[in-house]
Amino acid sequence: MTRATHEVEYEQMLLSRHGLLNQRKGRRADGVLERSAYILLSRIRVQGPMSVGELSEAFDLDASTLNRQTAAVMRAGLVERIPDPDGGMARKFRITEEGAKALDTEREGMVASLERVMTDWSDEDISAFAGYLRRFNTDIERLGGRPWPRP
């Protein structure tokens, strides 16, 4: 008998290919943010201002990758560099009002897409699915030693 984790792997592979995101552009077809910007802004919003080093550790990415990503969102006016509010030496990135609006717009679009997919699901089924996804993600975060702060 095949262990159920084989089914989870297969369904996760299928999930990654679906069209909630337009894979060529790294964003939803009608989205305003690229995937990396969406995740970066989401993390800064929930955690507060972060330095390149903190972002690098949080995402397990090298500083050069984060420098490129933060430069792109800065050019777009979605984040700004500020002195460390705690008095540290490193400057930090803070989400701007424009960045918050773009993030809200993107999130609303993602929720609308999910609502179209789950239109025939009961509230109980959606809640259960969300709970399993949260558990799955927190277990991955625990194993990787990189918990994601949740609001």
Side-chain angles (χ1 to χ4, degrees):
M1 179 170 199
T2 303
R3 188 173 157 117
T5 51
H6 286 88
E7 291 179 49
V8 172
E9 179 278 329
Y10 194 79
E11 293 302 326
Q12 185 277 332
M13 178 274 300
L14 291 174
L15 179 64
S16 69
R17 73 167 177 70
H18 287 300
L20 288 179
L21 290 177
N22 178 333
Q23 298 302 318
R24 289 183 303 131
K25 295 181 182 175
R27 66 175 64 152
R28 289 181 310 106
D30 61 345
V32 295
L33 294 175
E34 290 186 2
R35 181 179 176 273
S36 62
Y38 180 63
I39 295 169
L40 184 75
L41 292 174
S42 294
R43 181 63 184 247
I44 293 171
R45 173 180 273 170
V46 74
Q47 188 164 337
M50 298 178 73
S51 67
V52 167
E54 291 167 331
L55 290 165
S56 176
E57 185 176 319
F59 293 118
D60 194 25
L61 294 172
D62 61 84
S64 65
T65 299
L66 264 301
N67 279 325
R68 283 191 301 277
Q69 290 180 0
T70 54
V73 292
M74 258 182 62
R75 278 191 307 275
L78 305 175
V79 297
E80 60 188 350
R81 288 194 91 154
I82 61 167
D84 184 345
D86 298 321
M89 296 292 292
R91 294 179 55 83
K92 295 195 172 191
F93 294 95
R94 175 176 62 195
I95 193 168
T96 63
E97 188 175 321
E98 184 177 343
K101 286 178 185 175
L103 182 57
D104 290 342
T105 299
E106 190 69 22
R107 184 153 284 137
E108 289 166 9
M110 291 295 287
V111 169
S113 294
L114 289 168
E115 286 176 351
R116 283 192 302 276
V117 170
M118 300 171 130
T119 192
D120 295 329
W121 291 37
S122 70
D123 288 344
E124 294 80 19
D125 284 348
I126 294 171
S127 292
F129 185 64
Y132 284 128
L133 279 175
R134 185 180 315 107
R135 181 178 174 188
F136 186 74
N137 277 324
T138 57
D139 284 348
I140 291 171
E141 293 161 9
R142 177 183 47 79
L143 289 172
R146 290 185 174 78
W148 188 279
R150 286 168 170 76

Short mmCIF file of all heavy atoms in Angstrom, two decimals, residues 82-92:
data_model
loop_
_atom_site.label_atom_id
_atom_site.label_comp_id
_atom_site.label_asym_id
_atom_site.label_seq_id
_atom_site.Cartn_x
_atom_site.Cartn_y
_atom_site.Cartn_z
N ILE A 82 15.10 53.00 6.55
CA ILE A 82 15.03 53.85 7.74
C ILE A 82 16.15 53.45 8.70
O ILE A 82 16.64 52.32 8.65
CB ILE A 82 13.66 53.73 8.45
CG1 ILE A 82 13.43 52.28 8.92
CG2 ILE A 82 12.53 54.21 7.55
CD1 ILE A 82 12.27 52.12 9.90
N PRO A 83 16.53 54.37 9.60
CA PRO A 83 17.46 53.96 10.65
C PRO A 83 16.78 52.90 11.53
O PRO A 83 15.56 52.89 11.67
CB PRO A 83 17.70 55.24 11.45
CG PRO A 83 17.22 56.35 10.57
CD PRO A 83 16.20 55.78 9.65
N ASP A 84 17.59 52.04 12.11
CA ASP A 84 17.05 51.00 13.00
C ASP A 84 16.30 51.66 14.15
O ASP A 84 16.88 52.44 14.90
CB ASP A 84 18.20 50.14 13.53
CG ASP A 84 17.73 48.97 14.38
OD1 ASP A 84 16.56 48.95 14.81
OD2 ASP A 84 18.54 48.06 14.61
N PRO A 85 15.01 51.39 14.31
CA PRO A 85 14.23 51.98 15.39
C PRO A 85 14.77 51.61 16.78
O PRO A 85 14.54 52.33 17.74
CB PRO A 85 12.82 51.41 15.20
CG PRO A 85 12.77 50.91 13.80
CD PRO A 85 14.17 50.55 13.43
N ASP A 86 15.53 50.49 16.85
CA ASP A 86 16.09 50.06 18.13
C ASP A 86 17.50 50.58 18.35
O ASP A 86 18.17 50.19 19.31
CB ASP A 86 16.08 48.53 18.22
CG ASP A 86 14.66 47.96 18.15
OD1 ASP A 86 13.75 48.58 18.75
OD2 ASP A 86 14.48 46.92 17.50
N GLY A 87 17.98 51.43 17.45
CA GLY A 87 19.29 52.05 17.61
C GLY A 87 20.45 51.25 17.07
O GLY A 87 21.60 51.63 17.26
N GLY A 88 20.21 50.15 16.38
CA GLY A 88 21.28 49.35 15.79
C GLY A 88 21.94 50.06 14.63
O GLY A 88 21.47 51.11 14.16
N MET A 89 23.04 49.49 14.15
CA MET A 89 23.80 50.12 13.08
C MET A 89 23.15 49.93 11.70
O MET A 89 23.23 50.81 10.85
CB MET A 89 25.22 49.53 13.04
CG MET A 89 26.04 49.84 14.29
SD MET A 89 26.43 51.59 14.42
CE MET A 89 27.54 51.79 13.06
N ALA A 90 22.55 48.78 11.47
CA ALA A 90 22.02 48.47 10.15
C ALA A 90 20.74 49.26 9.88
O ALA A 90 19.91 49.44 10.77
CB ALA A 90 21.72 46.98 10.03
N ARG A 91 20.63 49.74 8.66
CA ARG A 91 19.38 50.39 8.27
C ARG A 91 18.36 49.29 7.96
O ARG A 91 18.72 48.19 7.60
CB ARG A 91 19.62 51.30 7.07
CG ARG A 91 20.53 52.48 7.48
CD ARG A 91 20.85 53.42 6.35
NE ARG A 91 19.73 53.99 5.65
CZ ARG A 91 19.03 55.07 6.03
NH1 ARG A 91 19.33 55.68 7.14
NH2 ARG A 91 18.04 55.53 5.29
N LYS A 92 17.10 49.63 8.11
CA LYS A 92 16.06 48.63 7.92
C LYS A 92 15.09 49.08 6.84
O LYS A 92 15.01 50.26 6.50
CB LYS A 92 15.32 48.38 9.23
CG LYS A 92 16.24 47.77 10.28
CD LYS A 92 15.49 47.18 11.42
CE LYS A 92 16.46 46.42 12.32
NZ LYS A 92 15.74 45.62 13.30
#
